[in-house]
DNA sequence: ACACTAACCTGCAAGC
DNA sequence: TGCTTGCAGGTTAGTG
């Protein structure tokens, strides 16, 4: 499900409710996520106060005075603020219960998500090697880093070591905006093209954040609302439909097992 | 260093 | 009505 706009939308919803709240309890119903939820998470987190809710790439960080919960939503995860009295449903694997009777509840059917604990999250192995946030990734940086690479430019920008937050939807959308075909070798994309691409990534992500992200199937924000970016998608899941710019039929291809969409006329 | 693959897991839709 | 197949928003670990 979630790429950067969905994670950021979730972060804002959680922050509004969790910041300054004390954790009363942690209820783990199913610890079998991407990695096991640490056994000692309840004891480490209970009694602590949430100081801030931050995002790094697609990771959410629930910061307390004594350490941070690192959360990832994987493909199908969502986090909602619920009342403690709301009965958990299927795939509601974990609750972080606050002192006001509300709880942060993780729902994740596919269980590709993660909930971990770290006293220094920025040094955690999952976060350590991450590339820059999109707002800090310049055209010069992308150009320099891609020299000599034969990897497809779409795979290059979806690699979190290159730049964080760009998943399958926004990679296709950004490349469409920038007029670059997804299969082009990253090392053969010019500085001028990376300049368009860097700007397109920021523009697309910001526009999606404003609309609350993209709900393809089941994404909901912390307040339970879907995102409305889907209606404005230029190419994603629009195979055969006319390009909104030139009218040509949108094409679909599969790269590294992931669907990619592009306009054969606008993108070169 | 780079690039590709398999793997983790469930749900849903389409086709037979 | 099943049953099988393919596909889905992510990322790591392993291989060559």
């Amino acid at each position: 499900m979630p790429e950067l706009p969905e994670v950021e939308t979730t972060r804002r919803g959680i922050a509004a409710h969790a910041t300054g709240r004390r954790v009363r309890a942690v209820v783990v119903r199913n610890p079998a996520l991407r990695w096991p939820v640490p056994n000692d998470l309840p004891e480490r987190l209970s009694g602590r106060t949430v100081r801030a809710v931050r995002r790094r790439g697609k990771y959410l960080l629930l910061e307390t005075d004594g350490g941070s919960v690192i959360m990832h939503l994987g493909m199908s995860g969502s986090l909602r603020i619920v009342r403690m009295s709301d009965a958990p449903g299927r795939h509601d694997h974990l609750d972080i219960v606050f002192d006001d009777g509300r709880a942060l509840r993780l729902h994740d059917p596919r269980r590709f998500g993660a909930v971990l604990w770290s006293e220094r999250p920025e040094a955690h192995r999952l976060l350590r090697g991450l590339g820059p946030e999109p707002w800090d990734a310049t055209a010069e940086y992308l150009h320099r880093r891609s020299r000599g690479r034969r990897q497809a430019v779409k795979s290059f920008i979806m690699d979190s070591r290159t730049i964080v937050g760009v998943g399958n939807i926004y990679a296709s959308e950004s490349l469409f905006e920038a007029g670059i075909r997804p299969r082009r070798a990253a090392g053969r994309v010019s500085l001028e093209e990376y300049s368009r691409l860097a700007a397109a990534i920021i523009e697309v992500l910001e526009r999606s954040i404003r609309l609350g992200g993209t709900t393809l199937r089941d994404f909901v924000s912390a307040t339970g609302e879907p995102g409305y970016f889907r209606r404005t998608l230029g190419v994603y899941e629009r195979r055969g439909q006319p390009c909104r710019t030139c009218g040509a039929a949108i094409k679909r291809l599969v790269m590294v097992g992931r669907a990619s969409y592009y306009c054969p006329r606008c993108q070169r």
Side-chain angles (χ1 to χ4, degrees), chain A residues 25 40 47 57 72 86-88 91 102 141 151 153 169 193 199 218-219 249:
Chain A
D40 59 359
H72 197 288
D86 294 343
H91 305 307
R102 301 213 177 223
Y141 161 78
Q151 181 187 33
V153 62
I169 298 177
E193 289 172 314
D218 50 16
F219 170 72

Side-chain angles (χ1 to χ4, degrees), chain A residues 21-260:
Chain A
R21 290 262 142 73
R22 208 173 137 91
V23 175
R24 184 194 290 168
V26 179
V27 180
V28 182
R29 292 183 204 86
N30 184 356
L33 303 183
R34 175 77 200 264
W35 296 278
V37 176
N39 285 325
D40 59 359
L41 181 70
E43 61 189 81
R44 289 200 187 267
L45 185 56
S46 296
R48 299 201 188 274
T49 300
V50 176
R51 298 295 176 202
V53 184
R54 296 190 204 286
R55 180 190 57 71
R56 175 73 176 102
K58 297 174 191 166
Y59 290 91
L60 281 171
L61 303 173
L62 216 64
E63 295 184 355
T64 75
D65 34 10
S68 297
V69 183
I70 301 175
M71 294 185 280
H72 197 288
L73 299 176
M75 289 279 261
S76 61
S78 57
L79 285 163
R80 293 182 67 169
I81 299 288
V82 299
R83 272 190 292 272
M84 208 174 56
S85 53
D86 294 343
R90 190 163 155 75
H91 305 307
D92 286 344
H93 305 310
L94 179 144
D95 287 353
I96 294 174
V97 184
F98 299 112
D99 54 7
D100 65 345
R102 301 213 177 223
L104 179 61
R105 179 167 288 170
L106 173 71
H107 175 83
D108 185 5
R110 292 178 73 179
R111 289 190 277 120
F112 288 172
V115 178
L116 300 167
W117 173 264
S118 173
E119 282 168 22
R120 291 188 51 235
E122 64 283 354
H124 192 276
R125 64 182 179 86
L126 293 176
L127 279 72
R128 207 172 28 203
L130 293 179
E133 293 285 321
W135 296 271
D136 300 324
T138 63
E140 290 73 20
Y141 161 78
L142 293 172
H143 184 255
R144 184 173 5 101
R145 193 174 160 98
S146 62
R147 288 313 86 184
R149 293 221 199 174
R150 283 188 269 204
Q151 181 187 33
V153 62
K154 177 170 182 255
S155 304
F156 176 68
I157 59 170
M158 285 179 69
D159 185 338
S160 63
R161 292 167 301 185
T162 305
I163 180 172
V164 296
V166 182
N168 203 38
I169 298 177
Y170 300 109
S172 279
E173 292 298 309
S174 303
L175 288 164
F176 170 63
E177 289 275 330
I180 301 166
R181 290 208 185 190
R183 260 193 306 211
R184 291 265 305 280
R188 302 198 162 231
V189 173
S190 69
L191 178 58
E192 146 96 37
E193 289 172 314
Y194 274 119
S195 171
R196 294 207 305 268
L197 182 55
I201 289 171
I202 292 171
E203 195 276 323
V204 165
L205 295 178
E206 285 186 342
R207 193 150 44 86
S208 182
I209 291 170
R210 280 202 297 280
L211 293 176
T214 301
T215 297
L216 285 185
R217 279 156 265 281
D218 50 16
F219 170 72
V220 289
S221 71
T223 51
E225 291 151 278
Y228 296 101
F229 189 72
R230 186 180 192 182
R231 295 189 294 207
T232 77
L233 290 172
V235 289
Y236 193 81
E237 285 196 334
R238 295 195 66 239
R239 165 157 64 170
Q241 295 176 50
C243 170
R244 299 189 201 282
T245 304
C246 77
I250 299 302
K251 294 209 173 222
R252 176 189 193 268
L253 56 86
V254 175
M255 296 174 46
V256 201
R258 316 291 304 268
S260 307

